[in-house]
Amino acid sequence: MSNTAAATPVPKIDPEKVHGQLRELFDSSILWLQTNWAQILIAVGIGAAIVVALHFARNQGNRLCREDRRLGGWGMVFGRAVVRTNNFFIVMLAAKLVVGYADAPAALTTTVNFLFTVAVVFQAAIWAREIILGSVEHRASRENYNGEALVSAMGLIRLLVTFVLFAIALIVVLDNLGVNVTGLVAGLGVGGIAIGLAAQGIFADLFAALAIIFDRPFRRGDAITYDTTSGTVEEIGLKSTRIRGLNGEERIISNKTLLDKEIQNNTRRQRRRIKFAIGVTYQTAPDVCLAIPTMLSEIVAAHDLVFVRSGFVNFGASSLDFEVEFDTHLPDFQHAYDARHTVGLAILKRFNDEKIEIAYPTQTTFTAAPDGTMVMPYPQVQTVRAIDIEK
């Protein structure tokens, strides 16, 4: 007995059977035309109207692309999607209406339904691709992102979006044909995982760039702070963001790393809050200490700033500590810097006028007598005798 398995016979196409099926489809179609010609004419008229309407919609899409400024750019996004409506979809939409209204033969109905499914699935993929890509381009163009980086990013995004959408469309079509797509889905999943692992760094920064474009935590020209770094955003690229530091240096950080941090957008501040800590000596009288918060609030109000709070906060090592908090009306740092300078000098002048001593670190040393009582180290000061140098 041979160990070699018998070869599985390959099925052959029977030309006569195929010819018979085509002949049956043709004959049934002719009979249907002869018996339902009135319904067919009505359906064809409606289908022609649909074809004309869809072609008119495509022309309107071209007009929206030219006049997108009226809709702030979104007109071009949807207009471009409408323009991408293909003729095959238009024809199959009309054919679907005809066979559905005019009671077409089963063979013809099955054929039209299949072609209509193919047309709808791939047309939906095209529309989705154009809307997604148009949305990304529209948001990026509004934020004035770097043109070269945007072109590179859009090329990769277009490839990824097209692959994903058309892969889904192909799976849907094959599933409608009765094909078992489980293996295909598994293969695509394994391939996607392999590609993702191989280029996870690039994809992480790319998706972070998209998050910056859509979520807009900052934009070019914004002054931001993260960790201990502050600077102005100069460029948002495909992989990294470039920030001009306060000392003039250029800092480059990957988009993913930047988004993982807590970002303070100083440009979007509504105001800036300033806090002063002021210590007065322990010899200050309690009634004077009670009046200090009122003095501080008057100083802040006199300089057209927003007083927040003021009061006693702590018994310090060498001082009685007070605080005052106030807000500026403008968010820019220079305005806050000038306000802090002005208020600080005003506090110093007011305290000098009120004879309130601002404390500084001091230390007093006491000396113990033999009996344990505290005495000054030099209770008696001896006079210095004059020395005759000539002797």
Side-chain angles (χ1 to χ4, degrees):
M1 183 176 182
S2 175
N3 293 329
T4 305
T8 303
V10 179
K12 297 181 179 180
I13 299 176
D14 187 356
E16 295 183 359
K17 185 176 180 181
V18 173
H19 181 268
Q21 292 175 346
L22 293 176
R23 183 66 183 178
E24 180 182 356
L25 176 62
F26 178 77
D27 293 339
S28 61
S29 299
I30 294 297
L31 179 61
W32 171 62
L33 291 173
Q34 293 174 348
T35 57
N36 298 276
W37 59 269
Q39 293 177 326
I40 294 174
L41 288 178
I42 295 174
V44 168
I46 298 175
I50 293 176
V51 171
V52 172
L54 291 177
H55 278 89
F56 176 76
R58 288 202 306 191
N59 292 333
Q60 291 298 108
N62 283 322
R63 187 177 65 83
L64 285 176
C65 291
R66 293 191 299 267
E67 301 178 2
D68 62 317
R69 292 183 179 179
R70 292 190 309 168
L71 299 177
W74 286 107
M76 186 176 66
V77 174
F78 293 103
R80 190 170 65 178
V82 173
V83 170
R84 297 290 293 177
T85 303
N86 58 62
N87 291 325
F88 178 64
F89 168 75
I90 295 175
V91 171
M92 292 314 304
L93 179 61
K96 172 68 174 176
L97 176 64
V98 171
V99 298
Y101 178 76
D103 193 19
L108 181 59
T109 301
T110 302
T111 303
V112 171
N113 287 340
F114 167 71
L115 294 178
F116 176 74
T117 301
V118 173
V120 169
V121 169
F122 283 98
Q123 183 62 63
I126 293 173
W127 282 338
R129 181 187 64 181
E130 295 303 322
I131 291 175
I132 293 172
L133 297 177
S135 300
V136 174
E137 291 179 357
H138 168 66
R139 181 60 62 88
S141 63
R142 287 188 60 186
E143 302 300 331
N144 296 320
Y145 290 104
N146 179 266
E148 183 178 351
L150 180 61
V151 171
S152 302
M154 288 307 302
L156 182 57
I157 294 171
R158 177 177 289 274
L159 177 63
L160 292 175
V161 171
T162 302
F163 174 77
V164 171
L165 291 177
F166 279 86
I168 295 174
L170 178 61
I171 292 173
V172 172
V173 170
L174 292 178
D175 185 60
N176 277 272
L177 284 174
V179 178
N180 187 0
V181 296
T182 304
L184 178 61
V185 172
L188 290 175
V190 172
I193 293 174
I195 295 174
L197 291 175
Q200 58 181 341
I202 296 175
F203 286 136
D205 289 324
L206 173 61
F207 290 132
L210 292 177
I212 293 173
I213 290 175
F214 283 98
D215 192 45
R216 294 187 296 176
F218 54 83
R219 63 184 70 183
R220 289 180 64 185
D222 282 359
I224 65 171
T225 299
Y226 63 93
D227 290 342
T228 58
T229 301
S230 297
T232 303
V233 178
E234 287 194 336
E235 182 180 317
I236 302 171
L238 172 63
K239 180 173 175 56
S240 62
T241 296
R242 287 167 170 78
I243 300 172
R244 183 65 59 182
L246 297 179
N247 295 324
E249 76 280 7
E250 183 182 59
R251 297 178 177 268
I252 303 173
I253 181 171
S254 68
N255 293 326
K256 180 181 181 301
T257 302
L258 182 59
L259 287 187
D260 286 340
K261 300 180 180 297
E262 180 182 3
I263 301 172
Q264 298 180 21
N265 193 325
N266 298 315
T267 301
R268 298 183 188 176
R269 285 177 180 263
Q270 296 179 346
R271 61 187 183 278
R272 285 184 182 264
R273 177 157 296 183
I274 301 172
K275 179 188 294 186
F276 270 120
I278 306 160
V280 299
T281 61
Y282 271 94
Q283 289 76 21
T284 306
D287 56 341
V288 176
C289 291
L290 187 62
I292 287 178
T294 303
M295 295 180 191
L296 297 175
S297 65
E298 291 173 353
I299 293 171
V300 171
H303 292 83
D304 194 26
L305 298 168
V306 181
F307 174 77
V308 178
R309 64 180 63 90
S310 177
F312 176 79
V313 293
N314 187 40
F315 291 96
S318 303
S319 62
L320 300 171
D321 297 332
F322 291 81
E323 278 185 353
V324 58
E325 296 182 23
F326 58 93
D327 293 337
T328 61
H329 293 289
L330 300 177
D332 63 282
F333 177 75
Q334 186 61 47
H335 180 74
Y337 189 91
D338 294 339
R340 182 177 61 187
H341 168 79
T342 304
V343 171
L345 293 181
I347 292 173
L348 179 62
K349 182 178 184 305
R350 179 69 178 271
F351 277 30
N352 286 338
D353 294 340
E354 299 289 340
K355 307 302 181 181
I356 301 174
E357 294 186 15
I358 297 178
Y360 53 87
T362 58
Q363 186 175 15
T364 302
T365 302
F366 295 91
T367 303
D371 60 357
T373 60
M374 306 302 293
V375 298
M376 293 297 293
Y378 304 102
Q380 295 178 353
V381 178
Q382 300 178 357
T383 57
V384 180
R385 294 182 302 172
I387 300 176
D388 190 353
I389 298 178
E390 293 181 357
K391 293 180 178 181

